[in-house]
Amino acid sequence: QVRLVESGGGLVQAGESLRLSCAPSGSMFGIDTMGWYRQAPGKQRELVATITGRGITTYAESVQGRFTISRYNANNTVYLQMNSLKFEDTAVYYCNAERPTLWPRAFWGQGTQVTVSS
């Protein structure tokens, strides 16, 4: 099975930056799109950003222009550069890897805590 290990979370003040990393291990066969999701206190898990194997990215409106997802295809490591962090960005951030035809369809990391003080 694919294992996704997130790192880079921490406690920062509003306006500061963090870079999250997602390091996969195990077989990545069939994996294309990878991404980041987050779950804030009292909220449902939401999509933050995704990136395809070709580098096509999508972003949630709430992070558009502030966050950048990137991917190092040699080892499938995925990064999330988070700039101009807001208190509202406080959440556990989860790395996700999807494959459309094989089961299971998605893999998740354990999450990394991002806390932004106002």
Side-chain angles (χ1 to χ4, degrees), residues 1 7 12-14 42 47 49 51 56 62 69 89-90 98 100:
Q1 289 231 340
S7 62
V12 298
Q13 292 184 315
L47 184 148
I51 185 167
I56 305 300
S62 59
I69 188 170
D89 295 318
T90 296
E98 298 179 352

Side-chain angles (χ1 to χ4, degrees), residues 28 30-35 50-58 69-74 76-78 98 100:
M28 294 290 286
I31 297 292
D32 182 47
T33 300
M34 297 186 68
T50 63
I51 185 167
T52 71
R54 294 282 187 175
I56 305 300
T57 60
T58 60
I69 188 170
S70 60
R71 185 172 184 171
Y72 185 64
N73 287 327
N76 288 292
T77 299
V78 177
E98 298 179 352

Side-chain angles (χ1 to χ4, degrees), residues 6 24 31 38 40-41 43-44 46 50 55 71 84 93 100 107-108:
E6 302 99 333
I31 297 292
R38 68 186 182 187
K43 296 184 178 180
Q44 183 60 274
E46 64 177 350
T50 63
R71 185 172 184 171
S84 301
Y93 284 71
F107 300 91
W108 297 90

Side-chain angles (χ1 to χ4, degrees), residues 2-8 18-25 28 31-37 48-53 55-59 68-82 93-98 112:
V2 174
R3 186 181 70 159
L4 305 174
V5 180
E6 302 99 333
S7 62
L18 284 173
R19 190 180 78 156
L20 306 183
S21 298
C22 174
S25 63
M28 294 290 286
I31 297 292
D32 182 47
T33 300
M34 297 186 68
W36 291 92
Y37 292 70
V48 177
T50 63
I51 185 167
T52 71
I56 305 300
T57 60
T58 60
Y59 296 93
T68 302
I69 188 170
S70 60
R71 185 172 184 171
Y72 185 64
N73 287 327
N75 59 10
N76 288 292
T77 299
V78 177
Y79 305 94
L80 184 68
Q81 179 67 43
M82 304 185 294
Y93 284 71
Y94 297 91
C95 183
N96 167 264
E98 298 179 352
T112 185

